[in-house]
Amino acid sequence: MGEVFAGRYELIDPIGRGGVGAVWRAWDHRRRRYVAAKVLQQSDAHTLLRFVREQALRIEHPHVLAPASWAADDDKVLFTMDLVSGGSLAHVIGDYGPLPPRFVCLLLDQLLSGLSTVHAEGVVHRDIKPANILMEATGTGRPHLRLSDFGISMRKGEPRLTETNYVVGTPGYFAPEQMMGAEPDLPADLFAVGLVALYLLQGQKPDSQALVERFAAHGTPSAPNGIPEPLWQVLAGLLQPDPHARFRTSTGARKALTAAVEMLPDPGPDDEPVEVFDQIGPLPAGFGPDGPVTAPQPTADPAPPGPAAAAAQQAVPQQAVPQPSGQQSYAPPPASMSETGSFHLAPPSEGSPPQQQPYAQPGLQQKKPIAAFTADAPPPYAVGTPGPSPAPASGVPHDPASTRAYTDQQHPSVRHAAPHAPVRRTRPGPPPKVAVPVLVVALICFAVGIWALTQV
């Protein structure tokens, strides 16, 4: 069994990894459901400030995947989200290559719908790319995407956490005004949406620099091969190098897309349907659809069991965890790091684009350990999402060996006690009703103080 985090979240297996931490499939013992838990592996002040911003985002929309709750346990923190099992748009392209235009229009409409709600809250995402757009495992049914990863998003008017002359995001999805050092704004997200649409239609990452140069030299160019002209006119409105000539809102782009879909040809009878597969895989041994599987407790029997009873007892463990038929064994994905980061903006020169140099964040003093604390937020809007229910005490034995490598790297000298003898530990000091609010206020003051130092 996995490590139980803050007495509530049981980490099961890793399903992804980014630049600041790992994403785990986890079991929420309080709400009795599976969730995705993003465990922060770095504890410098800059990373903590971004974590505070991301976990504070509360946007309820069927096509937005925002944090639902967070927890802190000693020197480690995590926040949880709904578990989305269909992978990302990058997985869909890897399975099928270029996608049919009508299918792309449906995905683009959902993305713009979710982005309109994000922008209505005054939030600029700043990292829209195929890897951050997740898919529900709907099979051949109607696709359902969710915009995720708000780690570098910011509200308009908030102070920036990046120094002057640096741009943060993923190379290849920057808007031209971002490369010139402009403040993050909503049209920059729409430019990235246009690049994502080209990626889906062509099956490969577009060359944004060549695209901008083509627009600058010839105005709106003709439609590339394989892209219908009505759809290309909408994409051209998203990809204009001048932000003032671009669509100003997601709602306006969505209205233009709806009109363009009416002029697209109907799909042919021989067109292959696009199927969104389950990319996470089956649950490991010891877990079932309703959570951890508790081993049966042995009963005292004064008389020795006969041959028939012994054979029945040996058959019980083989039936305790039935494995789904037709599914392959799951191997965790490779530890690939995210492309998102901060990049230096060199002074502009005549006739040459600005060069990008990676920015190394200077090491800052690590924060002090804090007591275990959890905070719930209203669950994100989703059809069929189970509501909160009281969770009975779990009889799952505690075995942190399978997850210690991801969540205990900064204190290798600490060794966990044997799992068969749980010991109740008490700490001196004030009661939790007094200590927890004081520690939360201290953490917020610490984050604000570090931010103030970066502005000097």
Side-chain angles (χ1 to χ4, degrees):
M1 300 300 172
E3 177 183 355
V4 179
F5 194 97
R8 174 175 177 180
Y9 301 106
E10 184 168 353
L11 305 182
I12 302 174
D13 54 352
I15 57 177
R17 180 175 294 184
V20 297
V23 180
W24 288 74
R25 174 164 47 185
W27 174 254
D28 186 347
H29 283 275
R30 182 179 301 175
R31 296 188 182 276
R32 308 294 298 172
R33 64 170 183 160
Y34 288 102
V35 296
K38 186 173 183 179
V39 182
L40 186 66
Q41 292 183 255
Q42 303 179 15
S43 57
D44 60 88
H46 186 271
T47 305
L48 285 175
L49 285 173
R50 291 203 181 278
F51 171 83
V52 170
R53 276 189 175 181
E54 183 171 6
Q55 67 84 23
L57 189 67
R58 298 291 182 262
I59 296 179
E60 298 181 5
H61 191 276
H63 299 297
V64 175
L65 185 62
S69 63
W70 69 277
D73 194 352
D74 291 333
D75 62 336
K76 299 183 289 290
V77 290
L78 64 73
F79 61 81
T80 65
M81 305 162 286
D82 288 345
L83 184 62
V84 181
S85 60
S88 67
L89 288 181
H91 289 93
V92 179
I93 293 298
D95 290 336
Y96 289 95
L99 301 177
R102 279 190 172 272
F103 189 85
V104 173
C105 288
L106 180 56
L107 297 179
L108 194 58
D109 180 72
Q110 294 180 4
L111 179 57
L112 290 171
S113 175
L115 191 60
S116 64
T117 302
V118 174
H119 286 176
E121 297 290 332
V123 176
V124 185
H125 189 281
R126 298 206 293 173
D127 199 18
I128 295 177
K129 59 182 179 181
N132 287 342
I133 302 173
L134 304 184
M135 301 290 296
E136 301 280 0
T138 54
T140 56
R142 180 183 177 87
H144 187 104
L145 66 75
R146 303 187 71 174
L147 178 62
S148 69
D149 200 343
F150 291 81
I152 63 173
S153 64
M154 64 174 295
R155 294 186 183 273
K156 295 186 63 176
E158 282 187 347
R160 298 178 60 174
L161 299 181
T162 310
E163 296 182 11
T164 307
N165 297 329
Y166 284 88
V167 60
V168 63
T170 301
Y173 292 93
F174 291 127
E177 63 269 21
Q178 289 179 282
M179 299 302 299
M180 300 300 295
E183 288 293 319
D185 204 354
L186 308 182
D189 281 349
L190 296 178
F191 185 87
V193 170
L195 293 176
V196 169
L198 280 183
Y199 172 81
L200 298 177
L201 291 166
Q202 298 177 340
Q204 59 184 1
K205 182 178 179 179
D207 187 345
S208 59
Q209 183 63 31
L211 191 66
V212 170
E213 294 175 355
R214 188 178 175 189
F215 270 86
H218 307 288
T220 301
S222 57
N225 293 332
I227 301 180
E229 182 65 29
L231 178 56
W232 171 247
Q233 293 300 321
V234 178
L235 300 186
L238 294 169
L239 295 170
Q240 290 292 336
D242 183 4
H244 298 287
R246 206 176 299 155
F247 282 112
R248 299 297 299 172
T249 65
S250 302
T251 303
R254 193 180 179 196
K255 290 180 179 179
L257 179 65
T258 301
V261 171
E262 299 295 332
M263 294 182 283
L264 294 181
D266 294 330
D270 298 331
D271 291 348
E272 178 185 6
V274 178
E275 182 175 359
V276 182
F277 303 97
D278 187 340
Q279 300 290 343
I280 295 182
L283 290 164
F287 293 89
D290 298 326
V293 178
T294 305
Q297 298 294 334
T299 57
D301 189 359
Q313 291 178 2
Q314 293 179 0
V316 171
Q318 300 176 1
Q319 299 177 1
V321 187
Q323 295 294 335
S325 60
Q327 290 186 344
Q328 301 177 354
S329 60
Y330 168 67
S336 58
M337 300 303 292
S338 173
E339 297 179 310
T340 305
S342 301
F343 303 90
H344 180 66
L345 294 177
S349 57
E350 294 292 336
S352 63
Q355 301 295 325
Q356 299 180 6
Q357 299 178 0
Y359 166 62
Q361 173 66 25
L364 297 178
Q365 182 182 0
Q366 296 184 350
K367 74 180 188 69
K368 298 181 180 180
I370 60 175
F373 182 75
T374 60
D376 287 327
Y381 174 82
V383 178
T385 301
S389 60
S394 173
V396 180
H398 177 66
D399 182 12
S402 61
T403 59
R404 186 183 298 119
Y406 287 84
T407 60
D408 200 23
Q409 294 179 354
Q410 297 188 9
H411 295 278
S413 61
V414 178
R415 295 294 181 264
H416 293 272
H420 62 275
V423 180
R424 180 179 180 85
R425 296 181 299 175
T426 59
R427 298 180 180 178
K433 292 184 178 180
V434 177
V436 169
V438 172
L439 289 175
V440 172
V441 173
L443 177 60
I444 296 176
C445 293
F446 174 78
V448 173
I450 294 299
W451 169 80
L453 290 176
T454 61
Q455 304 304 308
V456 178

